[in-house]
Amino acid sequence: MHFLTTIGIILAAIGAILIYILKRPLKTSDKLLIAILATFVVKFSFDEVSLITGSLLFSAIAAAFGISTIITCGWYIKYITDTETGFGIKQLYIYSPLVVFIAVLLAFFPSWVSQTGSTGYNIGLASVLCLILYYFWFCIDMLRKHQQLIRENYSGAPGSITVNWMIIIIALQILEFVLKSILAHVITSYNNADVNIITNEYCFIIMTFLLVVLGIWQKSIPVFIPAKEEISQSALHGDDLKRYQLKLEKFMDEHKPYLDPELTIEKLGELTRIKKLLLSQTLNKAFNKNFFTFIKEYRIRHVETELKNKSNEERTIMDVAYMSGFNSKTGFNRAFKEVTGKTPTEYLERQVKSL
């Protein structure tokens, strides 16, 4: 077994042990992360055996395990936020296309291998690519839902509550497939063994390192996910919706809770004495905004007000931003551009010209 792959397997084993020790009691997302690490080890072990023996069967088995890690990455993204729900039989349906493909592959493998470069072989290769793209879309969809939940519950998005790094893990697996299964066959100057060694060694060590380090650092994200029964029983309409809207606007203007950079919808619900479900419905129906956007706009308006205040002339725009509840320069610059249509620098230059 090659040196870097051996290091990767050792790193994965150490990472799984550390996750088990540091994150107990294990949540569903932690268990899925350990499962991804274990599947990585199995996948790349089969790749190494394939290199040693020259058997494409082991390479095909490794590819199946590789695709399964992409699916599990998608579930991991989901359960970072949905921490209360377990991973059960219902979730296994997404693996069914892969299972069917493996069954067909095993049934026709001897003839498939003997006809490398034939129409049947190319169809098999295209099927693998379609499976990878399908499961990549699954991961992207899970990431989109994850980000939506953050925006509905948090007023800021520090790095510790995002899992965008998982896309790097998934993209590296797709890159590996492209290098091994396409370049080596399309570009004749590539040597199969060289391509396999590059992908096995470097992709594996990079993916394992990212999974271990960022997986240990990754926090679960408690979010408010109302049940459908709760929504139907607590739906706001007409006068009630207007009453909650006015109550929320008054509280925001008088108490300025948005100045708290750690403000969440749960905390705002406690401060306003409005149930989280009713507060969420008020934001969605009365303001047509999610929690993140609602708070962001209040903070930007506060920044604009403070910049016009002569007592803040000695402060930088970032000083004012931090005073207004923002906790990162990147987040502030993006929010300012979205709300005002200008960058902070452009806004200040216009203010100076108007004086």
Side-chain angles (χ1 to χ4, degrees):
M1 193 171 287
H2 294 92
F3 178 67
L4 287 178
T5 303
T6 304
I7 291 178
I9 290 175
I10 294 172
L11 181 62
I14 294 173
I17 293 170
L18 287 175
I19 290 167
Y20 182 79
I21 294 173
L22 299 176
K23 296 199 150 189
R24 295 185 66 184
L26 293 177
K27 296 184 180 348
T28 301
S29 57
D30 302 324
K31 295 175 183 177
L32 287 168
L33 183 58
I34 293 174
I36 294 170
L37 285 168
T39 311
F40 262 9
V41 170
V42 175
K43 179 248 190 296
F44 283 96
S45 295
F46 273 110
D47 267 328
E48 290 296 316
V49 174
S50 175
L51 280 175
I52 295 169
T53 63
S55 173
L56 288 177
L57 177 60
F58 292 114
S59 182
I61 294 173
F65 274 100
I67 295 174
S68 72
T69 61
I70 297 177
I71 312 171
T72 312
C73 285
W75 286 125
Y76 173 77
I77 294 171
K78 170 181 168 56
Y79 286 104
I80 279 294
T81 45
D82 190 2
T83 55
E84 299 300 321
T85 306
F87 183 86
I89 296 177
K90 289 183 178 179
Q91 284 73 30
L92 295 178
Y93 76 91
I94 195 70
Y95 292 84
S96 55
L98 178 60
V99 173
V100 171
F101 175 78
I102 293 172
V104 173
L105 178 66
L106 292 176
F108 297 98
F109 187 79
S111 60
W112 180 70
V113 172
S114 64
Q115 298 175 1
T116 301
S118 66
T119 302
Y121 180 88
N122 292 330
I123 290 175
L125 199 62
S127 299
V128 174
L129 180 59
C130 289
L131 276 175
I132 290 175
L133 293 176
Y134 170 68
Y135 289 127
F136 183 69
W137 169 84
F138 170 72
C139 291
I140 294 296
D141 186 52
M142 289 297 183
L143 182 63
R144 179 187 60 79
K145 291 176 180 176
H146 162 81
Q147 292 174 333
Q148 182 180 349
L149 283 172
I150 290 178
R151 288 177 173 270
E152 289 175 352
N153 288 266
Y154 289 84
S155 61
S160 60
I161 65 170
T162 61
V163 286
N164 295 338
W165 56 272
M166 285 299 298
I167 296 301
I168 300 174
I169 302 289
I170 300 163
L172 276 171
Q173 294 179 77
I174 295 176
L175 176 63
E176 184 209 6
F177 170 79
V178 170
L179 287 172
K180 289 175 67 173
S181 302
I182 297 180
L183 289 181
H185 292 88
V186 173
I187 304 177
T188 55
S189 59
Y190 272 89
N191 181 280
N192 270 331
D194 291 340
V195 173
N196 285 343
I197 290 171
I198 290 171
T199 55
N200 283 10
E201 300 283 352
Y202 292 99
C203 286
F204 180 43
I205 196 69
I206 292 171
M207 285 188 280
T208 307
F209 178 78
L210 289 175
L211 267 179
V212 170
V213 174
L214 298 178
I216 291 173
W217 174 68
Q218 180 66 53
K219 298 177 182 177
S220 293
I221 307 158
V223 296
F224 169 60
I225 307 175
K228 292 181 180 179
E229 294 79 10
E230 293 178 308
I231 295 175
S232 61
Q233 292 173 5
S234 306
L236 281 173
H237 301 286
D239 294 339
D240 288 336
L241 183 61
K242 188 66 177 178
R243 178 164 55 86
Y244 280 111
Q245 178 185 0
L246 294 174
K247 180 180 180 179
L248 181 58
E249 288 177 333
K250 182 179 179 181
F251 186 87
M252 296 295 290
D253 292 336
E254 292 180 355
H255 299 279
K256 297 180 173 57
Y258 49 85
L259 298 181
D260 176 8
E262 303 298 326
L263 185 67
T264 65
I265 194 169
E266 184 174 13
K267 190 182 293 187
L268 184 59
E270 292 173 356
L271 292 172
T272 58
R273 297 183 180 179
I274 301 175
K275 290 182 179 181
K276 286 182 290 185
L277 178 57
L278 299 178
L279 179 56
S280 179
Q281 289 184 357
T282 301
L283 292 173
N284 293 331
K285 293 183 178 180
F287 297 95
N288 196 29
K289 297 170 185 174
N290 58 39
F291 178 72
F292 179 86
T293 302
F294 180 74
I295 299 300
K296 173 183 69 178
E297 291 180 358
Y298 266 96
R299 286 174 176 166
I300 293 299
R301 285 199 290 269
H302 187 267
V303 168
E304 290 182 294
T305 300
E306 291 301 310
L307 287 175
K308 296 174 183 176
N309 190 336
K310 292 185 178 180
S311 63
N312 291 321
E313 288 181 349
E314 299 300 318
R315 291 192 172 96
T316 66
I317 191 167
M318 282 312 303
D319 290 334
V320 176
Y322 290 132
M323 288 168 47
S324 303
F326 288 98
N327 53 19
S328 74
K329 182 176 181 180
T330 302
F332 166 68
N333 288 335
R334 185 187 305 113
F336 198 93
K337 177 75 173 180
E338 289 173 354
V339 175
T340 66
K342 304 178 184 64
T343 65
T345 303
E346 291 171 344
Y347 181 85
L348 285 177
E349 289 175 352
R350 183 173 180 178
Q351 288 292 110
V352 171
K353 290 179 181 179
S354 63
L355 295 177

